[in-house]
Amino acid sequence: MNLNYACGPRSGPPLVLLHGVTRRWQSFLPIMSSLGARWQVYSLDLPGHGESGPNPLGYRVVDYLAPVLKFLRARVGGRAVVYGHSLGSMLAAAVAAEDPTLVRAVILEDPPFETMGERIHSGPLHSYFAALRPFAGSPLPVAQLWRRLGEAEAGGVPLRELRDPVALRFTASCLRKLDPAVLEPILSGEWMDGYHREPILRAIQCPALLLQSDPAAGGMLTDEDAAEAERTMADCLRMRVPSAPHLIHWYDPAALLRMTHAFLATLD
């Protein structure tokens, strides 16, 4: 499998960034330079996203695990801190559980868990991903695509009322490079099949920082799921970012970096 990634200067030990579903490595640009001052940052395009090739295994959460493990073993020297957002956070947890020798610590930014599993129909998420599907792999230029995307509706509300123009334009640029098959297990309700949260979290023995956004602002990690994750992991620090939506690193990078740098300093 052909995996695309960005790599920063050798400023310190490795830190690997794993983005959320439908996005690409550039999602982390708001925090990469700050993290790169003390860490060698790797930011990966997950299979089917950005410039990475398709995943022959499929696009359930568990199907991304083997490519990420292979990337860590083949391209990253030494035990890495693995930082994941959304889908990436669930992968970071699974990597730490599967092969502890690869992982020094994990940072889990708003893992959705069953919000995108059995609870996906209880809110606007299913209609949001259904609205994205016609734009995945589109040949249209970004200048046209983001405006059309803004007219698509999730839960009866146009996306232009839910996202600012820059966010819509970036989303459109990601969708142009997205394998449409990425969305199929989400829409069919199979995305979480085979991902067993409790044993995965229980197997994580390295330090973990769990970053929770505000459910009232669009966060996907519920208070109940966050509390259970905190109890289940052996060494977990749970931090909530007030008023932050699901993409904390995008909308409140200053708060996120303050917490992340403080946590990383405890690894010295």
Side-chain angles (χ1 to χ4, degrees), residues 65-149:
L65 180 58
V68 172
L69 286 168
K70 186 174 182 179
F71 175 80
L72 288 166
R73 290 167 179 151
R75 291 287 180 263
V76 179
R79 294 172 70 221
V81 173
V82 184
Y83 180 119
H85 167 250
S86 196
L87 163 62
S89 65
M90 294 194 292
L91 289 173
V95 167
E98 181 74 17
D99 191 344
T101 67
L102 296 174
V103 183
R104 183 177 180 181
V106 291
I107 302 174
L108 312 178
E109 182 189 342
D110 214 45
F113 296 131
E114 290 302 335
T115 299
M116 281 190 60
E118 62 184 17
R119 296 194 297 267
I120 194 168
H121 288 280
S122 63
L125 269 179
H126 190 273
S127 64
Y128 171 73
F129 286 107
L132 298 186
R133 179 163 52 181
F135 302 97
S138 172
L140 290 175
V142 172
Q144 295 180 31
L145 192 63
W146 79 265
R147 289 182 172 86
R148 294 193 184 186
L149 181 63

Side-chain angles (χ1 to χ4, degrees), residues 173-258:
S173 73
C174 293
L175 289 171
R176 287 184 77 245
K177 297 176 179 292
L178 184 72
D179 182 350
V182 165
L183 298 172
E184 294 310 315
I186 299 173
L187 295 172
S188 68
E190 300 172 335
W191 196 63
M192 289 286 289
D193 287 2
Y195 188 92
H196 304 296
R197 177 181 56 180
E198 193 275 338
I200 286 172
L201 296 178
R202 193 168 298 283
I204 298 173
Q205 298 300 309
C206 64
L209 174 62
L210 179 63
L211 296 169
Q212 182 188 9
S213 61
D214 187 346
M220 294 191 190
L221 177 60
T222 65
D223 289 334
E224 187 175 28
D225 285 351
E228 181 184 347
E230 183 182 19
R231 288 192 302 267
T232 304
M233 286 184 276
D235 181 9
C236 176
L237 176 62
R238 173 189 172 194
M239 297 293 292
R240 183 163 175 173
V241 187
S243 302
H246 182 53
L247 284 151
I248 308 173
H249 65 273
W250 189 268
Y251 288 100
D252 198 349
L256 181 140
L257 284 167
R258 176 177 57 81

